[in-house]
Amino acid sequence: MTAPAGGAGMTAPAGGADAGPTGGRRVDGERTRVVREDDCASRWGNEGLLVLSTPAMLGLMEQTCVEVLAPVLAAGEMTVGVGVTLTHAAAARCGDPVTYRVDLTVEGRVVDVDFTVVGPTGTVLGHGTHRRRIVDRTTFLRRLTPPPN
C-alpha cells in the first residue's frame, strides 16, 4: 500500500507546466514511493517473490499522474486511464525507494503520458506510455449508478 499524498515514502511534486510544441499544455512531475509488501509480486501469485510487481508499478504510475494533474484540472474534473504500454525491465526489492517520473501533454480532454520508473541506483525499472481522458466527475459517476427499478 502506498502512502497518501504528502505521507511517508513520497517526495513533494517536482517539475511544472508549460505549453508544449503542439500547443498542448505540458505538465511533469515525479513521486518517490517505497516498495511495500502489498506492492510485491507475491500478492499476485508469485509466492515469496518480494519485488515490485507489474500491476503495482502500473497502479503507482497512474496514481502519480492523478496527483500531478490535480492542480491543473478544473473544479469537478478528474482523469481516467484509457490505455497503456508498459515495459517492466528490472526488479526493485521490498523496501527500495522507487521514483515514478511522468511527462504529460494535455490537449483538450486527452492526456498523453510518457513515464519512467527508476530504482534507487538509477536503474530504469520500467517505462512506457499512457493515455488518460479528462471527464466530469459527476457525469462519470452517474453513469456507474444502476438505474432505479
Side-chain angles (χ1 to χ4, degrees):
M1 175 174 248
T2 59
M10 229 160 75
T11 62
D18 61 25
T22 61
R25 184 171 187 183
R26 293 207 25 188
V27 182
D28 60 45
E30 68 180 39
R31 300 290 189 276
T32 297
R33 295 174 166 84
V34 173
V35 177
R36 300 182 185 193
E37 194 169 334
D38 199 39
D39 300 326
C40 291
S42 58
R43 177 177 180 213
W44 299 95
N46 288 315
E47 190 173 326
L49 193 54
L50 295 178
V51 297
L52 179 65
S53 70
T54 302
M57 180 184 285
L58 174 60
L60 293 166
M61 179 276 300
E62 283 201 81
Q63 183 179 7
T64 300
C65 289
V66 168
E67 292 168 2
V68 170
L69 281 167
V72 301
L73 296 176
E77 289 182 332
M78 65 184 225
T79 63
V80 294
V82 297
V84 67
T85 301
L86 165 65
T87 299
H88 192 156
R93 293 185 197 111
C94 190
D96 282 350
V98 173
T99 301
Y100 297 80
R101 296 180 182 144
V102 295
D103 182 10
L104 309 100
T105 303
V106 181
E107 298 243 11
R109 299 192 91 45
V110 175
V111 180
D112 285 315
V113 182
D114 290 312
F115 66 88
T116 306
V117 181
V118 180
T121 64
T123 301
V124 173
L125 306 175
H127 59 88
T129 60
H130 178 46
R131 178 164 278 182
R132 300 188 71 74
R133 184 112 23 221
I134 300 171
V135 298
D136 178 80
R137 179 183 303 274
T138 301
T139 302
F140 184 84
L141 294 174
R142 188 179 310 125
R143 289 180 183 157
L144 296 178
T145 306
N149 291 333

CSV table of all heavy atoms in Angstrom, one decimal, residues 54-112:
chain,number,residue,atom,x,y,z
A,54,THR,N,4.4,-5.9,-11.6
A,54,THR,CA,4.0,-5.1,-12.7
A,54,THR,C,2.7,-4.4,-12.4
A,54,THR,O,2.5,-3.2,-12.7
A,54,THR,CB,3.9,-6.0,-14.0
A,54,THR,OG1,5.2,-6.5,-14.2
A,54,THR,CG2,3.5,-5.1,-15.2
A,55,PRO,N,1.6,-5.1,-11.9
A,55,PRO,CA,0.4,-4.3,-11.5
A,55,PRO,C,0.6,-3.2,-10.6
A,55,PRO,O,0.0,-2.1,-10.8
A,55,PRO,CB,-0.5,-5.4,-10.9
A,55,PRO,CG,0.0,-6.7,-11.4
A,55,PRO,CD,1.5,-6.5,-11.6
A,56,ALA,N,1.5,-3.3,-9.6
A,56,ALA,CA,1.7,-2.2,-8.7
A,56,ALA,C,2.5,-1.1,-9.4
A,56,ALA,O,2.2,0.1,-9.2
A,56,ALA,CB,2.5,-2.7,-7.5
A,57,MET,N,3.4,-1.4,-10.2
A,57,MET,CA,4.1,-0.4,-11.0
A,57,MET,C,3.2,0.4,-11.8
A,57,MET,O,3.2,1.7,-11.8
A,57,MET,CB,5.2,-1.0,-11.9
A,57,MET,CG,6.0,0.0,-12.7
A,57,MET,SD,7.1,-0.8,-13.9
A,57,MET,CE,8.4,-1.3,-12.8
A,58,LEU,N,2.2,-0.3,-12.5
A,58,LEU,CA,1.2,0.4,-13.3
A,58,LEU,C,0.3,1.3,-12.4
A,58,LEU,O,0.1,2.5,-12.7
A,58,LEU,CB,0.4,-0.6,-14.1
A,58,LEU,CG,-0.8,0.0,-14.9
A,58,LEU,CD1,-0.3,1.0,-15.9
A,58,LEU,CD2,-1.5,-1.2,-15.5
A,59,GLY,N,-0.2,0.7,-11.3
A,59,GLY,CA,-1.1,1.5,-10.5
A,59,GLY,C,-0.4,2.7,-9.8
A,59,GLY,O,-1.0,3.8,-9.7
A,60,LEU,N,0.8,2.5,-9.4
A,60,LEU,CA,1.6,3.7,-8.8
A,60,LEU,C,1.9,4.7,-9.8
A,60,LEU,O,1.9,5.9,-9.5
A,60,LEU,CB,2.8,3.2,-8.1
A,60,LEU,CG,2.5,2.3,-6.9
A,60,LEU,CD1,3.7,1.5,-6.4
A,60,LEU,CD2,1.9,3.1,-5.7
A,61,MET,N,2.1,4.3,-11.1
A,61,MET,CA,2.4,5.3,-12.1
A,61,MET,C,1.1,6.1,-12.4
A,61,MET,O,1.0,7.3,-12.5
A,61,MET,CB,2.8,4.6,-13.4
A,61,MET,CG,3.0,5.6,-14.6
A,61,MET,SD,1.5,6.0,-15.6
A,61,MET,CE,1.0,4.4,-16.1
A,62,GLU,N,-0.1,5.4,-12.4
A,62,GLU,CA,-1.4,6.1,-12.6
A,62,GLU,C,-1.7,7.0,-11.4
A,62,GLU,O,-2.1,8.1,-11.7
A,62,GLU,CB,-2.5,5.1,-12.7
A,62,GLU,CG,-2.6,4.4,-14.1
A,62,GLU,CD,-3.9,3.8,-14.4
A,62,GLU,OE1,-4.8,4.6,-14.8
A,62,GLU,OE2,-4.1,2.6,-14.2
A,63,GLN,N,-1.4,6.6,-10.2
A,63,GLN,CA,-1.6,7.4,-9.1
A,63,GLN,C,-0.7,8.7,-9.2
A,63,GLN,O,-1.2,9.8,-8.8
A,63,GLN,CB,-1.2,6.7,-7.8
A,63,GLN,CG,-1.5,7.5,-6.5
A,63,GLN,CD,-1.2,6.7,-5.3
A,63,GLN,OE1,-0.7,5.6,-5.3
A,63,GLN,NE2,-1.5,7.2,-4.1
A,64,THR,N,0.5,8.5,-9.7
A,64,THR,CA,1.4,9.7,-9.9
A,64,THR,C,0.8,10.7,-10.9
A,64,THR,O,0.7,11.9,-10.6
A,64,THR,CB,2.8,9.3,-10.3
A,64,THR,OG1,3.3,8.4,-9.3
A,64,THR,CG2,3.7,10.4,-10.5
A,65,CYS,N,0.2,10.1,-11.9
A,65,CYS,CA,-0.4,11.0,-12.9
A,65,CYS,C,-1.6,11.8,-12.3
A,65,CYS,O,-1.7,13.0,-12.5
A,65,CYS,CB,-1.0,10.2,-14.1
A,65,CYS,SG,0.3,9.5,-15.2
A,66,VAL,N,-2.4,11.1,-11.6
A,66,VAL,CA,-3.6,11.7,-10.9
A,66,VAL,C,-3.1,12.9,-10.0
A,66,VAL,O,-3.7,14.0,-10.0
A,66,VAL,CB,-4.4,10.7,-10.1
A,66,VAL,CG1,-5.4,11.4,-9.2
A,66,VAL,CG2,-5.1,9.7,-11.1
A,67,GLU,N,-2.1,12.6,-9.2
A,67,GLU,CA,-1.6,13.6,-8.3
A,67,GLU,C,-1.0,14.8,-9.0
A,67,GLU,O,-1.2,16.0,-8.6
A,67,GLU,CB,-0.6,13.0,-7.3
A,67,GLU,CG,-1.2,12.0,-6.4
A,67,GLU,CD,-0.2,11.2,-5.6
A,67,GLU,OE1,1.1,11.4,-5.8
A,67,GLU,OE2,-0.6,10.3,-4.8
A,68,VAL,N,-0.2,14.6,-10.1
A,68,VAL,CA,0.5,15.6,-10.8
A,68,VAL,C,-0.6,16.5,-11.6
A,68,VAL,O,-0.4,17.7,-11.7
A,68,VAL,CB,1.6,15.1,-11.7
A,68,VAL,CG1,2.1,16.1,-12.7
A,68,VAL,CG2,2.7,14.5,-10.9
A,69,LEU,N,-1.6,15.8,-12.1
A,69,LEU,CA,-2.6,16.5,-12.9
A,69,LEU,C,-3.6,17.3,-12.0
A,69,LEU,O,-4.2,18.3,-12.5
A,69,LEU,CB,-3.4,15.6,-13.7
A,69,LEU,CG,-2.7,15.1,-15.0
A,69,LEU,CD1,-3.5,13.9,-15.6
A,69,LEU,CD2,-2.6,16.2,-16.0
A,70,ALA,N,-3.8,16.9,-10.8
A,70,ALA,CA,-4.9,17.5,-9.9
A,70,ALA,C,-4.8,19.1,-9.9
A,70,ALA,O,-5.9,19.7,-10.1
A,70,ALA,CB,-4.8,17.0,-8.5
A,71,PRO,N,-3.7,19.7,-9.8
A,71,PRO,CA,-3.7,21.2,-9.8
A,71,PRO,C,-4.1,21.9,-11.1
A,71,PRO,O,-4.4,23.0,-11.1
A,71,PRO,CB,-2.2,21.5,-9.4
A,71,PRO,CG,-1.6,20.3,-8.9
A,71,PRO,CD,-2.3,19.2,-9.5
A,72,VAL,N,-4.0,21.1,-12.2
A,72,VAL,CA,-4.3,21.8,-13.5
A,72,VAL,C,-5.7,21.5,-14.0
A,72,VAL,O,-6.2,22.0,-15.0
A,72,VAL,CB,-3.3,21.4,-14.6
A,72,VAL,CG1,-1.9,21.8,-14.1
A,72,VAL,CG2,-3.4,19.9,-14.9
A,73,LEU,N,-6.5,20.6,-13.2
A,73,LEU,CA,-7.9,20.3,-13.6
A,73,LEU,C,-8.8,21.4,-13.1
A,73,LEU,O,-8.6,22.0,-12.0
A,73,LEU,CB,-8.3,18.9,-13.1
A,73,LEU,CG,-7.5,17.8,-13.7
A,73,LEU,CD1,-7.9,16.5,-13.0
A,73,LEU,CD2,-7.6,17.7,-15.2
A,74,ALA,N,-9.9,21.6,-13.8
A,74,ALA,CA,-11.0,22.5,-13.3
A,74,ALA,C,-11.8,21.8,-12.2
A,74,ALA,O,-11.8,20.5,-12.1
A,74,ALA,CB,-11.9,22.8,-14.5
A,75,ALA,N,-12.5,22.6,-11.5
A,75,ALA,CA,-13.3,22.0,-10.4
A,75,ALA,C,-14.3,21.0,-11.0
A,75,ALA,O,-14.9,21.3,-12.1
A,75,ALA,CB,-14.1,23.1,-9.7
A,76,GLY,N,-14.5,19.9,-10.4
A,76,GLY,CA,-15.4,18.9,-10.9
A,76,GLY,C,-14.8,17.9,-11.9
A,76,GLY,O,-15.5,17.0,-12.3
A,77,GLU,N,-13.6,18.1,-12.3
A,77,GLU,CA,-13.0,17.2,-13.3
A,77,GLU,C,-12.1,16.2,-12.6
A,77,GLU,O,-11.6,16.4,-11.5
A,77,GLU,CB,-12.1,18.0,-14.3
A,77,GLU,CG,-12.9,18.9,-15.3
A,77,GLU,CD,-12.0,19.6,-16.3
A,77,GLU,OE1,-10.8,19.9,-15.9
A,77,GLU,OE2,-12.5,19.9,-17.4
A,78,MET,N,-11.9,15.1,-13.3
A,78,MET,CA,-11.0,14.0,-12.9
A,78,MET,C,-10.5,13.4,-14.2
A,78,MET,O,-11.0,13.7,-15.3
A,78,MET,CB,-11.6,13.0,-12.0
A,78,MET,CG,-12.7,12.2,-12.6
A,78,MET,SD,-13.5,11.1,-11.4
A,78,MET,CE,-13.6,9.6,-12.3
A,79,THR,N,-9.4,12.5,-14.0
A,79,THR,CA,-9.0,11.8,-15.2
A,79,THR,C,-9.1,10.3,-15.0
A,79,THR,O,-9.1,9.8,-13.9
A,79,THR,CB,-7.5,12.1,-15.5
A,79,THR,OG1,-6.7,11.7,-14.5
A,79,THR,CG2,-7.3,13.6,-15.8
A,80,VAL,N,-9.3,9.6,-16.1
A,80,VAL,CA,-9.4,8.1,-16.1
A,80,VAL,C,-8.5,7.6,-17.1
A,80,VAL,O,-8.3,8.2,-18.2
A,80,VAL,CB,-10.9,7.6,-16.3
A,80,VAL,CG1,-11.8,8.1,-15.2
A,80,VAL,CG2,-11.4,8.1,-17.7
A,81,GLY,N,-7.8,6.5,-16.8
A,81,GLY,CA,-6.9,5.8,-17.7
A,81,GLY,C,-7.7,5.1,-18.8
A,81,GLY,O,-8.7,4.5,-18.6
A,82,VAL,N,-7.2,5.2,-20.1
A,82,VAL,CA,-7.8,4.6,-21.2
A,82,VAL,C,-6.9,3.7,-22.0
A,82,VAL,O,-7.3,3.0,-22.9
A,82,VAL,CB,-8.6,5.6,-22.1
A,82,VAL,CG1,-9.7,6.3,-21.3
A,82,VAL,CG2,-7.6,6.6,-22.7
A,83,GLY,N,-5.6,3.8,-21.7
A,83,GLY,CA,-4.7,2.9,-22.5
A,83,GLY,C,-3.3,3.0,-21.9
A,83,GLY,O,-2.9,4.0,-21.3
A,84,VAL,N,-2.5,1.9,-22.1
A,84,VAL,CA,-1.1,1.9,-21.6
A,84,VAL,C,-0.3,0.9,-22.3
A,84,VAL,O,-0.7,-0.1,-22.8
A,84,VAL,CB,-1.1,1.5,-20.1
A,84,VAL,CG1,-1.6,0.1,-19.8
A,84,VAL,CG2,0.2,1.8,-19.4
A,85,THR,N,1.0,1.3,-22.5
A,85,THR,CA,2.0,0.4,-22.9
A,85,THR,C,3.1,0.5,-21.9
A,85,THR,O,3.6,1.6,-21.6
A,85,THR,CB,2.6,0.8,-24.3
A,85,THR,OG1,1.5,0.9,-25.3
A,85,THR,CG2,3.7,-0.1,-24.8
A,86,LEU,N,3.5,-0.7,-21.3
A,86,LEU,CA,4.4,-0.7,-20.2
A,86,LEU,C,5.5,-1.8,-20.4
A,86,LEU,O,5.1,-2.9,-20.8
A,86,LEU,CB,3.7,-1.0,-18.9
A,86,LEU,CG,4.5,-1.4,-17.7
A,86,LEU,CD1,5.4,-0.3,-17.2
A,86,LEU,CD2,3.5,-1.8,-16.6
A,87,THR,N,6.7,-1.4,-20.3
A,87,THR,CA,7.8,-2.4,-20.3
A,87,THR,C,8.4,-2.5,-18.9
A,87,THR,O,8.8,-1.4,-18.3
A,87,THR,CB,8.9,-2.0,-21.3
A,87,THR,OG1,8.4,-2.0,-22.6
A,87,THR,CG2,10.1,-3.0,-21.2
A,88,HIS,N,8.3,-3.6,-18.2
A,88,HIS,CA,8.9,-3.8,-16.9
A,88,HIS,C,10.3,-4.5,-17.1
A,88,HIS,O,10.3,-5.7,-17.4
A,88,HIS,CB,8.0,-4.7,-16.1
A,88,HIS,CG,8.3,-4.7,-14.6
A,88,HIS,ND1,7.3,-5.1,-13.7
A,88,HIS,CD2,9.4,-4.5,-13.9
A,88,HIS,CE1,7.9,-5.0,-12.5
A,88,HIS,NE2,9.2,-4.7,-12.6
A,89,ALA,N,11.3,-3.7,-16.9
A,89,ALA,CA,12.7,-4.1,-17.4
A,89,ALA,C,13.6,-4.6,-16.3
A,89,ALA,O,14.5,-5.3,-16.5
A,89,ALA,CB,13.3,-2.9,-18.0
A,90,ALA,N,13.3,-4.3,-15.0
A,90,ALA,CA,14.2,-4.7,-13.9
A,90,ALA,C,13.4,-4.7,-12.6
A,90,ALA,O,12.3,-4.2,-12.5
A,90,ALA,CB,15.4,-3.7,-13.8
A,91,ALA,N,14.0,-5.4,-11.6
A,91,ALA,CA,13.3,-5.6,-10.3
A,91,ALA,C,13.7,-4.5,-9.3
A,91,ALA,O,14.9,-4.0,-9.3
A,91,ALA,CB,13.6,-7.0,-9.8
A,92,ALA,N,12.8,-4.3,-8.3
A,92,ALA,CA,13.1,-3.5,-7.1
A,92,ALA,C,12.6,-4.3,-6.0
A,92,ALA,O,11.5,-4.9,-6.0
A,92,ALA,CB,12.4,-2.1,-7.2
A,93,ARG,N,13.4,-4.4,-4.9
A,93,ARG,CA,13.1,-5.2,-3.7
A,93,ARG,C,12.1,-4.4,-2.8
A,93,ARG,O,12.1,-3.2,-2.8
A,93,ARG,CB,14.4,-5.5,-2.9
A,93,ARG,CG,15.3,-6.4,-3.6
A,93,ARG,CD,16.5,-6.7,-2.6
A,93,ARG,NE,17.6,-7.2,-3.4
A,93,ARG,CZ,18.7,-6.6,-3.6
A,93,ARG,NH1,19.0,-5.4,-3.1
A,93,ARG,NH2,19.7,-7.2,-4.3
A,94,CYS,N,11.5,-5.2,-2.0
A,94,CYS,CA,10.6,-4.6,-1.0
A,94,CYS,C,11.5,-3.8,-0.1
A,94,CYS,O,12.6,-4.2,0.3
A,94,CYS,CB,10.0,-5.8,-0.2
A,94,CYS,SG,8.7,-5.2,1.0
A,95,GLY,N,11.1,-2.6,0.2
A,95,GLY,CA,11.8,-1.6,1.0
A,95,GLY,C,12.6,-0.6,0.2
A,95,GLY,O,13.1,0.4,0.7
A,96,ASP,N,12.8,-0.9,-1.1
A,96,ASP,CA,13.5,0.0,-2.0
A,96,ASP,C,12.7,1.3,-2.3
A,96,ASP,O,11.5,1.2,-2.6
A,96,ASP,CB,13.9,-0.6,-3.4
A,96,ASP,CG,15.1,-1.6,-3.3
A,96,ASP,OD1,15.8,-1.6,-2.2
A,96,ASP,OD2,15.3,-2.3,-4.3
A,97,PRO,N,13.3,2.5,-2.4
A,97,PRO,CA,12.6,3.6,-2.9
A,97,PRO,C,12.6,3.6,-4.4
A,97,PRO,O,13.6,3.3,-5.0
A,97,PRO,CB,13.4,4.8,-2.4
A,97,PRO,CG,14.8,4.2,-2.2
A,97,PRO,CD,14.6,2.8,-1.9
A,98,VAL,N,11.4,3.8,-5.0
A,98,VAL,CA,11.3,3.8,-6.5
A,98,VAL,C,10.7,5.2,-6.9
A,98,VAL,O,9.7,5.6,-6.3
A,98,VAL,CB,10.4,2.6,-6.9
A,98,VAL,CG1,10.1,2.7,-8.4
A,98,VAL,CG2,11.1,1.3,-6.5
A,99,THR,N,11.2,5.8,-7.9
A,99,THR,CA,10.7,7.1,-8.4
A,99,THR,C,9.9,6.9,-9.7
A,99,THR,O,10.4,6.3,-10.6
A,99,THR,CB,11.9,8.0,-8.6
A,99,THR,OG1,12.6,8.2,-7.3
A,99,THR,CG2,11.4,9.4,-9.1
A,100,TYR,N,8.8,7.5,-9.7
A,100,TYR,CA,7.9,7.5,-10.9
A,100,TYR,C,7.9,8.9,-11.5
A,100,TYR,O,7.5,9.8,-10.8
A,100,TYR,CB,6.4,7.1,-10.4
A,100,TYR,CG,6.4,5.7,-9.8
A,100,TYR,CD1,6.8,5.5,-8.5
A,100,TYR,CD2,5.9,4.7,-10.6
A,100,TYR,CE1,6.7,4.2,-7.9
A,100,TYR,CE2,5.9,3.4,-10.0
A,100,TYR,CZ,6.3,3.2,-8.7
A,100,TYR,OH,6.3,1.9,-8.2
A,101,ARG,N,8.4,9.0,-12.7
A,101,ARG,CA,8.5,10.2,-13.4
A,101,ARG,C,7.5,10.3,-14.5
A,101,ARG,O,7.5,9.3,-15.4
A,101,ARG,CB,9.9,10.4,-14.0
A,101,ARG,CG,11.0,10.5,-12.9
A,101,ARG,CD,12.4,10.7,-13.4
A,101,ARG,NE,13.3,10.7,-12.3
A,101,ARG,CZ,14.5,10.2,-12.3
A,101,ARG,NH1,15.0,9.7,-13.5
A,101,ARG,NH2,15.3,10.3,-11.3
A,102,VAL,N,6.7,11.3,-14.6
A,102,VAL,CA,5.7,11.4,-15.7
A,102,VAL,C,5.9,12.8,-16.4
A,102,VAL,O,6.2,13.8,-15.8
A,102,VAL,CB,4.3,11.3,-15.1
A,102,VAL,CG1,4.1,9.9,-14.6
A,102,VAL,CG2,4.0,12.3,-14.1
A,103,ASP,N,5.7,12.7,-17.7
A,103,ASP,CA,5.8,13.9,-18.6
A,103,ASP,C,4.5,13.8,-19.3
A,103,ASP,O,4.3,12.9,-20.2
A,103,ASP,CB,7.0,13.8,-19.5
A,103,ASP,CG,7.1,15.0,-20.4
A,103,ASP,OD1,6.4,16.0,-20.2
A,103,ASP,OD2,7.9,15.0,-21.3
A,104,LEU,N,3.5,14.7,-19.0
A,104,LEU,CA,2.2,14.7,-19.6
A,104,LEU,C,2.0,15.8,-20.5
A,104,LEU,O,2.4,17.0,-20.3
A,104,LEU,CB,1.2,14.8,-18.4
A,104,LEU,CG,1.4,13.8,-17.3
A,104,LEU,CD1,2.1,14.5,-16.1
A,104,LEU,CD2,0.1,13.3,-16.8
A,105,THR,N,1.2,15.6,-21.6
A,105,THR,CA,0.8,16.6,-22.5
A,105,THR,C,-0.7,16.6,-22.6
A,105,THR,O,-1.3,15.5,-22.8
A,105,THR,CB,1.3,16.3,-23.9
A,105,THR,OG1,2.8,16.3,-23.9
A,105,THR,CG2,0.9,17.5,-24.9
A,106,VAL,N,-1.3,17.7,-22.2
A,106,VAL,CA,-2.8,17.8,-22.2
A,106,VAL,C,-3.2,18.6,-23.4
A,106,VAL,O,-2.9,19.7,-23.7
A,106,VAL,CB,-3.2,18.6,-20.9
A,106,VAL,CG1,-4.8,18.7,-20.9
A,106,VAL,CG2,-2.7,17.9,-19.7
A,107,GLU,N,-4.0,17.9,-24.3
A,107,GLU,CA,-4.6,18.5,-25.5
A,107,GLU,C,-6.1,18.3,-25.4
A,107,GLU,O,-6.6,17.2,-25.6
A,107,GLU,CB,-4.1,17.8,-26.7
A,107,GLU,CG,-2.6,18.0,-26.9
A,107,GLU,CD,-2.2,18.7,-28.1
A,107,GLU,OE1,-3.1,19.3,-28.8
A,107,GLU,OE2,-1.0,18.7,-28.4
A,108,GLY,N,-6.8,19.4,-25.1
A,108,GLY,CA,-8.3,19.2,-24.9
A,108,GLY,C,-8.6,18.4,-23.7
A,108,GLY,O,-8.1,18.6,-22.6
A,109,ARG,N,-9.3,17.2,-24.0
A,109,ARG,CA,-9.6,16.3,-22.9
A,109,ARG,C,-8.7,15.1,-22.9
A,109,ARG,O,-8.9,14.2,-22.1
A,109,ARG,CB,-11.1,15.9,-23.0
A,109,ARG,CG,-12.0,17.2,-22.9
A,109,ARG,CD,-13.4,17.0,-22.7
A,109,ARG,NE,-14.0,16.9,-21.3
A,109,ARG,CZ,-13.8,17.6,-20.3
A,109,ARG,NH1,-12.9,18.6,-20.3
A,109,ARG,NH2,-14.4,17.4,-19.2
A,110,VAL,N,-7.7,15.1,-23.7
A,110,VAL,CA,-6.8,13.9,-23.8
A,110,VAL,C,-5.5,14.3,-23.1
A,110,VAL,O,-4.9,15.3,-23.4
A,110,VAL,CB,-6.6,13.5,-25.3
A,110,VAL,CG1,-5.5,12.4,-25.4
A,110,VAL,CG2,-7.9,13.1,-26.0
A,111,VAL,N,-5.0,13.3,-22.3
A,111,VAL,CA,-3.7,13.5,-21.7
A,111,VAL,C,-2.8,12.3,-22.1
A,111,VAL,O,-3.1,11.2,-21.9
A,111,VAL,CB,-3.9,13.4,-20.1
A,111,VAL,CG1,-2.5,13.6,-19.5
A,111,VAL,CG2,-4.8,14.5,-19.6
A,112,ASP,N,-1.7,12.7,-22.8
A,112,ASP,CA,-0.7,11.6,-23.2
A,112,ASP,C,0.4,11.7,-22.2
A,112,ASP,O,0.9,12.8,-21.9
A,112,ASP,CB,-0.3,11.9,-24.6
A,112,ASP,CG,-1.3,11.5,-25.6
A,112,ASP,OD1,-1.9,10.4,-25.5
A,112,ASP,OD2,-1.6,12.2,-26.6
